[in-house]
Amino acid sequence: MTPVQAEKRLVELRAQIARDDELYYKKAKPEISDFEYDANKRELEDLEKQFPQFAAPDSPSRVIGDDRVQGFKEVAHRQKMLSLDNTYNEAELRGFHARLVRLIGTPNLTYTVEPKIDGLAVSVTYEDGRFVRAVTRGKGDRGDDVTANVSTIKTLPHRLHGVAPKVIEIRGEIYFTAVEFQRINAERAAAGEDLYANPRNFAAGTVKLLDSTEVARRKLEIVLYSLGFCEPAVVESQTDLQKKLKAWGLPVVEKYWTVDGIDEAWAAIGELDRLRHDFAYGTDGAVVKLNDFAQQRDAGTTDKAPRWAIAYKFKPDTARTRLLGITIQVGKTGILSPVAELSPVVLAGSTIARATLHNEDEIRRKDIRIGDLVEIEKAGEVIPAVLQSFPDERPRGAQEFDLFAAVGGKCPVCGGKIARLEVAAEGAEGVAWKCQNYDCAAQRAGRLGFFCSRRALAIDGVGGVVAAKLVELNHVQDPPDLYHVTLETLATLNLGTTEEPRIFGEKNATKVVVAREAARELPLEKWLYALSVPDVGETTARELGRRHRTFAELASSPLLHAVLKKAELVAQREWEAPASRRNPAKSDEDKARRKELCARLEAEIAALDAGPLAGVPADIGPAVAGSTLEFFASAPGQRLLAKLRALRIDPRGTVPTAGVFTGKTLVLTGTLPRLKREEAEQKILAAGGKVSGSVSKKTSYVLAGDDAGSKLEKAKELGVRVIDEAEFLRLLK
Ligand code: IVH
C-alpha cells in the first residue's frame, strides 16, 4: 500500500469507526457486528503502526468510546474506567503472555480466566458499605450518573454485607437475561413496535432511559468483576476480589478459573466456550487477567487499556447460504424495511430462513444482491443478520438491489405512493422509503396493535395477527373502530385459513371486550400515546397529558403554540444577532438597530419562558409541538377525534391540581391489596404529586404493598416515610 492509499484508507476507517461508535455507545443500535467492528479497528491500528506519519491524537484507536448522552448528570470516576485490548487469535494471546513474562521478569504467572459479559459497563460506588452511585463508563474519566436506573436492579444490594472499605468503586456489567429480553421483545412485537436487536443493546438503551419508572418495569441484572478505586486497599488479587465480592453479597460471574501459565489459560478458555451458553448473560469472549495486583501495578496500563489483561473473543456463529430474495415489510409508521429470504440453514441451533438487512443503504454498502452466496451471523440472541456477500461467486447478471424498483415505485401492501425521507427514529437510521398512505393496511394494522399494547391501552389479545385480520376484513380502519366490533365478530374471527381455521374464540373475545371498556377510563396520556401521533412517545405523552385537560384542548394547545413561537423567536434572534455568521451586520447603524431588536426578542423569549413555558421539559420541543398540532389539524387526526366523540370517549389529562401531594415525590413498590399500580399513580398525579422509580433522600413517601423489596429496605435505611394503601387512601381524603 502506498502512503497516499494508506492515508485515504485511514480517513475512511476513522470515519466509519466514529460512526459505529456513535451507534453502539450512544444510540445502542449498532449496524454492524462486533466482529466486523473489531476487524475495522484492527486494520486501523495496523495502518497507524505502519504509517506513523498519519497518526492522529483523536483517532478512535486511541480514545475510549464515549457512551454519554444528554439528560444525565456527569460524574468523574475516582479511578479511570479503562477498556480492554482484544484478540480473536491464539497466537496473539500467547504474545500477551510473552510480553508480561518480559515485563514482570518471571515465567511463572498466575491468571484468572473469566467470562466476558456482553452488556453495558458500569461502575458502582459504595461508601461505608452503602450504595451511593452508579456511573457509566462515559469517556473513561467521567460518565453519566445512572444511579436512579441502577437502583431498580433487585439483585444489587444497597448495603454490603460484612466489613466493607470506606470507599470502593466496583466495575461490572448490566445485562438482560435471554428470557427477559424475549419477554419484552414479544410484547413489543405484539404491539407492532421496533424490536431490539439483542440483549446488550436493549440493556444499554434501558440504562439510558430518563424515566426510571419505565426502567423498573424491565428486569435489569448486574454482575460485578473488577476493582476501581478502593480506600483502604483491602484486595490483593483478582481471586481475592472475586471472593470478597461474593462475601459482600454482590452478584458475581457464574464461573472463573485461576490458572498457572498461558497453556492452562487456553484450556480454561476452551472450557468456558463449552459452558457459556448456559450462563444467564450473553458472553462474547474470555477475559484473561494477571491475578496478582502487585504484578498488575508493575505491568501498568496504556491510556486506553491495562497491559495486564486481554479479552479473547469468540467468533460468532456464522453460516453461508443463498439469498433467494428480498421482501419488503411495512411497519406502523409506513417505513419499508428489506428482509433477506434465505435458503434455510442451521445456525447456532436453529433453522434460519430470514435475516434483517436493516435498510437499503446497508445493502448497497455491503454489495448484497439477490442470488448471492451470503454469510449470516447469529450471536447470542441477536436477530440473524447478513454479514457479507461473496461477489466472486455471484451468479451472472445479478443486479444491484434497488428498493424503489423492487416495489415498483409503490407500497407493496397498499400500492400507495412512497417517498424517500431522512429518518432518525428508533430502528431505522439514515434514509428510508416510507409509504405515504395513512390508510395503508400495514399501517392500520400496526397502529391497531400498538393501540392495544400493554404500554398503551392494554387491550390484551389484539396483537399482530389479530390486528392484521381485523383490518384485512375491514372491521377496523382506525383503532377506535375496535369499539364497534361485536363480541360475536371477534369470537368467530378466523386467524387461520379456510382449510385450517384458527378461531379467536369466545373467551379471548370476551377479554378484549372487557379490556376495551376498562380502557375508556384511562387518562389522556395513555390515549395520546395509543393513537400513534408522530413524534409523541411515552414520556412526551405523559408530559402533554399533565398539561392538557382533554384532546380538544390539546388540539389547539396554547402551550404548544408557545413552544413554536419561542422556536421562531430564537431563530430570529440568531439571524439578527449583529455578529451572526450567516448574516453579519453591514454598518454601525445596522449593528445598533439589530442589537436593539435582539434585546426585544430576548425579552419576548424570557416572557414566554417565565409564562406559558415555565416548567415545560425539553421533551416538549418544537418538533413535538409542530407534529402534534399538525396531526390533530390533519384529516386523519380530525377523523380520530370525531370517532372518539361519537364513542363518548373523552379521556382526562392528569393536570396536577394542588392537592395533598403537591411538591411531594412518591415511590411505589410491591403489590397493593386493591389499587392497581396505574390507578395509584393516577391518584398521586391527580393530587399534585410526582411518581419516581427509585428511593432517595428526596422521596417523600414510599407506598409499599406485598412483596416490597429493596426499595422498602432503602426507604427504611434513609428514614423515608413508608405508607400502606389504607394510609395512602386516608391521606387522599
Ligand atoms: S475487566 C481494566 N472483566 O468488556 C479492565 N471486563 O471490551 C476492566 N467486560 O470495558 C475490565 N466482562 O466493560 C473485565 N469479566 C470481565 C468483563 C469485562 C465484560 C467488559 C468491560 C470492558 C469491556 C472491554
Side-chain angles (χ1 to χ4, degrees), residues 7 81 161 540 551 609 650:
E7 191 176 14
M81 260 179 107
H161 304 174
T540 309
F551 269 124
D609 279 337
D650 190 12

Side-chain angles (χ1 to χ4, degrees), residues 264-411:
E264 278 186 36
W266 182 244
I269 290 173
E271 203 180 320
L272 170 64
D273 195 15
R274 285 188 292 281
L275 297 176
R276 68 193 178 103
H277 296 288
D278 296 328
F279 292 169
Y281 32 74
T283 51
D284 56 352
V287 184
V288 181
K289 301 176 184 172
L290 200 52
N291 188 38
D292 187 280
F293 278 11
Q295 289 181 341
Q296 287 187 3
R297 280 189 290 277
D298 289 344
T301 74
T302 66
D303 277 353
K304 253 185 77 182
R307 290 200 186 85
W308 44 263
I310 192 166
Y312 175 85
K313 292 180 93 175
F314 299 120
K315 284 204 187 64
D317 290 319
T318 62
R320 290 177 186 200
T321 186
R322 283 281 158 197
L323 178 64
L324 302 178
I326 296 176
T327 49
I328 308 295
Q329 284 183 346
V330 184
K332 105 175 158 98
T333 56
I335 304 274
L336 272 51
S337 329
V339 178
E341 304 290 341
L342 305 163
S343 171
V345 56
V346 175
L347 177 58
S350 50
T351 304
I352 310 291
R354 309 184 93 193
T356 59
L357 282 166
H358 299 290
N359 53 46
E360 191 178 15
D361 288 348
E362 190 185 88
I363 300 177
R364 291 258 167 79
R365 197 157 46 77
K366 293 186 173 169
D367 188 18
I368 293 167
R369 303 185 185 191
I370 296 172
D372 271 356
L373 181 68
V374 291
E375 182 168 45
I376 58 169
E377 175 191 84
K378 185 164 162 52
E381 301 309 314
V382 184
I383 298 168
V386 178
L387 280 184
Q388 59 166 332
S389 66
F390 300 94
D392 294 347
E393 297 177 47
R394 172 166 291 158
R396 243 190 297 157
Q399 299 288 314
E400 211 175 89
F401 182 71
D402 179 338
L403 200 150
F404 186 80
V407 295
K410 49 191 202 301
C411 170

